Amino acid sequence: MATHSELRDFWERRLEKDWTESGVGYRALGRPFNTWMYKVREEVFLRRVGHLGLIDPSVLDVGSGTGFYVRLWERLGAADITGCDMTDAAVERLRARFPGHRFSRQDAADLDAFDDDAFDALSCMDVLFHITDDERYTSAIGEFARVLRPGGTLVISENCLQRPEQRGEHQVNRTLEWIAGTLDKAGFDLRLRVPMLMLMNAQVDASVPWRKTWGGALRAATLTGPTGWLAGAALYPLERRLVRRRRESPTTELLVCRLRG
Protein backbone atom coordinates (compact mmCIF):
# COMPACT_ATOMS: atom_id res chain seq x y z
CA MET A 1 0.00 0.00 0.00
CA ALA A 2 1.35 3.43 -0.97
CA THR A 3 2.45 5.88 1.71
CA HIS A 4 0.84 9.31 1.99
CA SER A 5 3.84 10.91 0.27
CA GLU A 6 3.66 8.39 -2.56
CA LEU A 7 -0.06 9.00 -2.96
CA ARG A 8 0.47 12.75 -3.17
CA ASP A 9 3.17 12.28 -5.80
CA PHE A 10 0.88 9.92 -7.72
CA TRP A 11 -1.92 12.50 -7.87
CA GLU A 12 0.47 15.37 -8.57
CA ARG A 13 1.79 13.56 -11.67
CA ARG A 14 -1.65 12.42 -12.76
CA LEU A 15 -3.32 15.83 -12.57
CA GLU A 16 -0.31 17.56 -14.08
CA LYS A 17 -0.77 15.40 -17.18
CA ASP A 18 -4.56 15.12 -17.26
CA TRP A 19 -6.60 17.86 -15.55
CA THR A 20 -9.91 16.59 -16.92
CA GLU A 21 -12.79 14.29 -15.96
CA SER A 22 -10.66 11.26 -16.79
CA GLY A 23 -7.78 12.53 -14.65
CA VAL A 24 -9.97 12.70 -11.56
CA GLY A 25 -12.36 9.93 -12.59
CA TYR A 26 -12.17 6.33 -13.85
CA ARG A 27 -9.16 6.89 -16.04
CA ALA A 28 -9.17 3.45 -17.71
CA LEU A 29 -12.53 4.26 -19.32
CA GLY A 30 -11.30 7.39 -21.10
CA ARG A 31 -12.46 10.99 -21.14
CA PRO A 32 -15.53 10.64 -23.46
CA PHE A 33 -17.12 8.01 -21.21
CA ASN A 34 -16.17 9.91 -18.05
CA THR A 35 -17.89 13.00 -19.46
CA TRP A 36 -21.18 11.10 -19.57
CA MET A 37 -20.53 9.62 -16.13
CA TYR A 38 -20.03 13.09 -14.67
CA LYS A 39 -23.33 14.24 -16.16
CA VAL A 40 -25.03 11.70 -13.90
CA ARG A 41 -22.97 12.78 -10.89
CA GLU A 42 -23.96 16.38 -11.59
CA GLU A 43 -27.67 15.60 -11.70
CA VAL A 44 -27.56 13.59 -8.47
CA PHE A 45 -25.57 16.26 -6.61
CA LEU A 46 -27.76 19.16 -7.76
CA ARG A 47 -30.97 17.29 -7.02
CA ARG A 48 -30.04 15.94 -3.60
CA VAL A 49 -28.01 18.86 -2.26
CA GLY A 50 -30.42 21.35 -3.81
CA HIS A 51 -33.26 19.78 -1.82
CA LEU A 52 -31.45 20.39 1.48
CA GLY A 53 -32.64 24.00 1.51
CA LEU A 54 -29.26 25.54 2.34
CA ILE A 55 -29.52 29.33 2.24
CA ASP A 56 -26.42 31.12 0.88
CA PRO A 57 -24.03 28.69 2.57
CA SER A 58 -20.35 29.28 3.14
CA VAL A 59 -18.78 26.17 1.58
CA LEU A 60 -15.46 24.36 1.75
CA ASP A 61 -14.80 21.89 -1.07
CA VAL A 62 -12.05 19.43 -0.10
CA GLY A 63 -10.16 17.73 -2.91
CA SER A 64 -11.44 20.14 -5.54
CA GLY A 65 -9.56 18.51 -8.44
CA THR A 66 -10.83 20.21 -11.60
CA GLY A 67 -13.41 22.30 -9.72
CA PHE A 68 -16.36 20.23 -10.91
CA TYR A 69 -18.20 20.50 -7.60
CA VAL A 70 -17.11 24.10 -7.09
CA ARG A 71 -19.11 24.85 -10.24
CA LEU A 72 -22.11 22.95 -8.86
CA TRP A 73 -22.00 24.87 -5.59
CA GLU A 74 -22.03 28.06 -7.65
CA ARG A 75 -25.19 26.86 -9.41
CA LEU A 76 -26.78 26.12 -6.02
CA GLY A 77 -26.18 29.72 -4.94
CA ALA A 78 -23.43 29.28 -2.36
CA ALA A 79 -22.54 32.69 -0.96
CA ASP A 80 -18.87 31.93 -0.42
CA ILE A 81 -16.81 29.02 -1.78
CA THR A 82 -13.35 27.96 -0.67
CA GLY A 83 -11.54 25.00 -2.19
CA CYS A 84 -8.45 22.97 -1.45
CA ASP A 85 -6.50 20.14 -2.98
CA MET A 86 -3.42 18.15 -2.01
CA THR A 87 -1.69 18.89 -5.34
CA ASP A 88 -0.06 22.05 -6.63
CA ALA A 89 -1.13 21.03 -10.15
CA ALA A 90 -4.79 21.38 -9.23
CA VAL A 91 -4.54 24.46 -7.01
CA GLU A 92 -2.70 26.55 -9.60
CA ARG A 93 -5.27 25.75 -12.27
CA LEU A 94 -8.22 26.21 -9.92
CA ARG A 95 -7.07 29.72 -9.02
CA ALA A 96 -6.96 30.61 -12.70
CA ARG A 97 -10.32 28.99 -13.50
CA PHE A 98 -12.18 30.46 -10.49
CA PRO A 99 -10.56 33.82 -9.69
CA GLY A 100 -13.49 34.78 -7.46
CA HIS A 101 -12.88 31.93 -5.00
CA ARG A 102 -10.03 30.99 -2.67
CA PHE A 103 -7.95 27.85 -3.09
CA SER A 104 -5.07 26.45 -1.06
CA ARG A 105 -2.98 23.31 -0.98
CA GLN A 106 -4.31 21.33 1.94
CA ASP A 107 -4.58 17.66 2.74
CA ALA A 108 -8.00 16.42 3.84
CA ALA A 109 -6.52 15.04 7.05
CA ASP A 110 -4.91 18.38 8.01
CA LEU A 111 -6.98 21.45 7.18
CA ASP A 112 -4.85 23.79 9.28
CA ALA A 113 -5.40 26.77 6.94
CA PHE A 114 -9.03 26.96 8.12
CA ASP A 115 -10.46 28.11 11.45
CA ASP A 116 -12.83 26.18 13.67
CA ASP A 117 -16.55 26.56 12.87
CA ALA A 118 -15.72 28.40 9.64
CA PHE A 119 -18.18 26.85 7.16
CA ASP A 120 -21.87 26.00 6.84
CA ALA A 121 -21.25 23.13 4.42
CA LEU A 122 -18.36 20.96 3.30
CA SER A 123 -18.08 18.65 0.31
CA CYS A 124 -15.48 15.96 -0.25
CA MET A 125 -16.27 14.10 -3.43
CA ASP A 126 -14.49 10.97 -4.71
CA VAL A 127 -11.60 11.58 -2.33
CA LEU A 128 -12.04 9.56 0.84
CA PHE A 129 -11.68 6.12 -0.74
CA HIS A 130 -8.30 7.25 -2.03
CA ILE A 131 -7.08 7.77 1.56
CA THR A 132 -5.52 4.36 2.10
CA ASP A 133 -4.50 4.86 5.74
CA ASP A 134 -7.38 4.44 8.20
CA GLU A 135 -5.83 6.89 10.68
CA ARG A 136 -5.64 9.63 8.07
CA TYR A 137 -9.22 8.88 7.01
CA THR A 138 -10.38 9.25 10.62
CA SER A 139 -8.35 12.46 10.93
CA ALA A 140 -10.01 13.83 7.80
CA ILE A 141 -13.49 13.24 9.20
CA GLY A 142 -12.39 14.88 12.44
CA GLU A 143 -11.11 17.90 10.52
CA PHE A 144 -14.42 18.16 8.66
CA ALA A 145 -16.20 18.29 12.03
CA ARG A 146 -13.78 20.92 13.33
CA VAL A 147 -14.15 23.40 10.46
CA LEU A 148 -17.94 23.03 10.17
CA ARG A 149 -20.29 25.02 12.34
CA PRO A 150 -22.64 23.06 14.65
CA GLY A 151 -25.55 21.90 12.53
CA GLY A 152 -23.38 22.13 9.41
CA THR A 153 -23.80 19.88 6.39
CA LEU A 154 -21.23 17.36 5.15
CA VAL A 155 -21.62 15.96 1.62
CA ILE A 156 -19.34 13.11 0.60
CA SER A 157 -19.22 10.32 -1.94
CA GLU A 158 -18.10 6.87 -0.86
CA ASN A 159 -18.10 3.20 -1.79
CA CYS A 160 -20.07 1.83 1.17
CA LEU A 161 -19.45 -1.90 0.99
CA GLN A 162 -21.77 -4.39 2.58
CA ARG A 163 -19.20 -7.04 1.63
CA PRO A 164 -15.65 -7.28 3.06
CA GLU A 165 -13.47 -4.23 2.47
CA GLN A 166 -11.09 -4.13 -0.50
CA ARG A 167 -7.60 -2.67 -0.15
CA GLY A 168 -5.42 -1.57 -3.06
CA GLU A 169 -2.34 0.57 -3.52
CA HIS A 170 -4.24 3.79 -4.31
CA GLN A 171 -7.77 3.00 -3.14
CA VAL A 172 -9.52 1.37 -0.21
CA ASN A 173 -13.20 0.46 -0.43
CA ARG A 174 -14.39 0.34 3.18
CA THR A 175 -17.54 -1.11 4.69
CA LEU A 176 -20.67 0.92 5.34
CA GLU A 177 -20.45 -0.09 9.00
CA TRP A 178 -16.91 1.30 9.35
CA ILE A 179 -17.69 4.52 7.48
CA ALA A 180 -20.92 5.16 9.43
CA GLY A 181 -19.14 4.42 12.72
CA THR A 182 -16.33 6.84 11.90
CA LEU A 183 -18.80 9.57 11.01
CA ASP A 184 -20.76 8.98 14.22
CA LYS A 185 -17.66 9.16 16.42
CA ALA A 186 -16.76 12.51 14.85
CA GLY A 187 -20.21 13.89 15.70
CA PHE A 188 -22.04 13.42 12.40
CA ASP A 189 -25.53 12.04 11.89
CA LEU A 190 -25.89 10.25 8.56
CA ARG A 191 -29.12 11.68 7.12
CA LEU A 192 -29.10 10.44 3.50
CA ARG A 193 -27.36 7.71 1.47
CA VAL A 194 -28.36 7.32 -2.16
CA PRO A 195 -26.80 6.03 -5.41
CA MET A 196 -24.59 8.45 -7.27
CA LEU A 197 -23.93 5.89 -10.00
CA MET A 198 -25.16 2.38 -10.71
CA LEU A 199 -23.63 0.87 -13.86
CA MET A 200 -21.16 3.50 -15.07
CA ASN A 201 -18.45 2.74 -12.51
CA ALA A 202 -16.61 -0.24 -11.03
CA GLN A 203 -19.06 -2.62 -9.31
CA VAL A 204 -17.08 -2.75 -6.08
CA ASP A 205 -19.95 -4.05 -3.91
CA ALA A 206 -21.16 -6.73 -6.33
CA SER A 207 -20.27 -10.42 -6.57
CA VAL A 208 -16.84 -11.17 -8.04
CA PRO A 209 -18.22 -12.78 -11.25
CA TRP A 210 -20.44 -9.77 -12.00
CA ARG A 211 -17.72 -7.30 -11.01
CA LYS A 212 -15.25 -8.88 -13.44
CA THR A 213 -17.77 -9.39 -16.24
CA TRP A 214 -19.15 -5.86 -16.16
CA GLY A 215 -15.73 -4.29 -15.65
CA GLY A 216 -14.41 -6.15 -18.67
CA ALA A 217 -17.39 -5.09 -20.76
CA LEU A 218 -16.91 -1.42 -19.82
CA ARG A 219 -13.21 -1.48 -20.62
CA ALA A 220 -13.85 -3.19 -23.96
CA ALA A 221 -16.56 -0.68 -24.87
CA THR A 222 -14.29 2.27 -24.07
CA LEU A 223 -11.10 1.15 -25.83
CA THR A 224 -11.37 4.14 -28.19
CA GLY A 225 -12.75 7.64 -27.74
CA PRO A 226 -15.66 7.18 -30.19
CA THR A 227 -16.77 3.84 -28.72
CA GLY A 228 -16.43 5.27 -25.21
CA TRP A 229 -18.64 8.20 -26.15
CA LEU A 230 -21.24 5.85 -27.65
CA ALA A 231 -21.16 3.57 -24.60
CA GLY A 232 -21.67 6.56 -22.31
CA ALA A 233 -24.49 7.94 -24.43
CA ALA A 234 -26.22 4.54 -24.45
CA LEU A 235 -25.92 4.03 -20.68
CA TYR A 236 -26.74 7.61 -19.67
CA PRO A 237 -30.57 7.47 -19.88
CA LEU A 238 -30.67 4.12 -18.07
CA GLU A 239 -28.28 5.35 -15.40
CA ARG A 240 -30.41 8.44 -14.76
CA ARG A 241 -33.45 6.24 -14.11
CA LEU A 242 -31.58 3.80 -11.91
CA VAL A 243 -30.06 6.40 -9.58
CA ARG A 244 -33.53 7.86 -9.01
CA ARG A 245 -35.25 4.53 -8.34
CA ARG A 246 -32.73 2.51 -6.37
CA ARG A 247 -32.00 3.01 -2.70
CA GLU A 248 -28.52 1.50 -2.73
CA SER A 249 -25.74 1.09 -5.27
CA PRO A 250 -23.01 -1.48 -5.98
CA THR A 251 -20.68 1.46 -6.62
CA THR A 252 -20.35 5.11 -5.53
CA GLU A 253 -23.03 6.61 -3.28
CA LEU A 254 -23.78 10.14 -2.11
CA LEU A 255 -23.90 10.65 1.67
CA VAL A 256 -25.30 13.70 3.41
CA CYS A 257 -24.51 14.18 7.09
CA ARG A 258 -25.32 16.79 9.74
CA LEU A 259 -22.88 17.83 12.45
CA ARG A 260 -24.49 17.55 15.84
CA GLY A 261 -24.67 20.82 17.78
Side-chain angles (χ1 to χ4, degrees), residues 78-123:
D80 181 70
I81 303 171
T82 301
C84 65
D85 197 274
M86 71 187 300
T87 69
D88 290 318
V91 171
E92 290 172 6
R93 290 168 171 83
L94 287 164
R95 287 172 176 165
R97 177 172 285 181
F98 301 98
H101 304 315
R102 297 180 302 278
F103 296 94
S104 61
R105 187 167 70 79
Q106 290 276 281
D107 185 84
D110 185 11
L111 301 174
D112 60 1
F114 309 118
D115 294 334
D116 296 358
D117 304 336
F119 301 97
D120 302 311
L122 186 153
S123 55

Side-chain angles (χ1 to χ4, degrees), residues 98-153:
F98 301 98
H101 304 315
R102 297 180 302 278
F103 296 94
S104 61
R105 187 167 70 79
Q106 290 276 281
D107 185 84
D110 185 11
L111 301 174
D112 60 1
F114 309 118
D115 294 334
D116 296 358
D117 304 336
F119 301 97
D120 302 311
L122 186 153
S123 55
C124 185
M125 308 301 293
D126 306 325
V127 170
L128 291 171
F129 44 72
H130 291 301
I131 300 177
T132 56
D133 181 271
D134 289 346
E135 261 188 50
R136 294 194 69 83
Y137 188 111
T138 301
S139 294
I141 299 298
E143 283 289 86
F144 298 168
R146 180 184 67 79
V147 302
L148 277 171
R149 298 182 180 114
T153 299

Side-chain angles (χ1 to χ4, degrees), residues 29-236:
L29 301 184
R31 185 178 180 185
F33 185 87
N34 272 275
T35 299
W36 284 105
M37 182 199 296
Y38 269 85
K39 286 180 181 290
V40 181
R41 293 176 183 270
E42 175 181 318
E43 291 181 18
V44 174
F45 188 91
L46 290 175
R47 181 171 66 252
R48 295 297 185 173
V49 179
H51 286 170
L52 297 177
L54 302 175
I55 307 299
D56 300 330
S58 173
V59 174
L60 174 63
D61 183 56
V62 177
S64 294
T66 63
F68 182 83
Y69 294 97
V70 171
R71 188 77 74 195
L72 299 189
W73 278 116
E74 286 181 333
R75 290 177 59 182
L76 289 171
D80 181 70
I81 303 171
T82 301
C84 65
D85 197 274
M86 71 187 300
T87 69
D88 290 318
V91 171
E92 290 172 6
R93 290 168 171 83
L94 287 164
R95 287 172 176 165
R97 177 172 285 181
F98 301 98
H101 304 315
R102 297 180 302 278
F103 296 94
S104 61
R105 187 167 70 79
Q106 290 276 281
D107 185 84
D110 185 11
L111 301 174
D112 60 1
F114 309 118
D115 294 334
D116 296 358
D117 304 336
F119 301 97
D120 302 311
L122 186 153
S123 55
C124 185
M125 308 301 293
D126 306 325
V127 170
L128 291 171
F129 44 72
H130 291 301
I131 300 177
T132 56
D133 181 271
D134 289 346
E135 261 188 50
R136 294 194 69 83
Y137 188 111
T138 301
S139 294
I141 299 298
E143 283 289 86
F144 298 168
R146 180 184 67 79
V147 302
L148 277 171
R149 298 182 180 114
T153 299
L154 172 65
V155 184
I156 63 175
S157 61
E158 255 291 14
N159 298 323
C160 301
L161 303 194
Q162 299 187 60
R163 299 169 184 269
E165 72 172 18
Q166 303 158 9
R167 289 189 171 266
E169 185 178 9
H170 298 122
Q171 181 167 323
V172 175
N173 300 316
R174 296 174 173 87
T175 66
L176 172 61
E177 180 181 17
W178 191 93
I179 293 167
T182 302
L183 289 165
D184 179 64
K185 288 175 186 175
F188 288 105
D189 291 326
L190 179 54
R191 296 294 184 88
L192 179 71
R193 179 173 66 89
V194 294
M196 194 156 202
L197 295 164
M198 289 294 298
L199 294 173
M200 297 181 80
N201 204 3
Q203 306 286 284
V204 294
D205 202 26
S207 66
V208 172
W210 171 248
R211 192 160 72 233
K212 290 184 176 181
T213 299
W214 185 248
L218 279 182
R219 287 189 291 274
T222 57
L223 278 175
T224 70
T227 60
W229 190 93
L230 288 171
L235 281 173
Y236 174 67

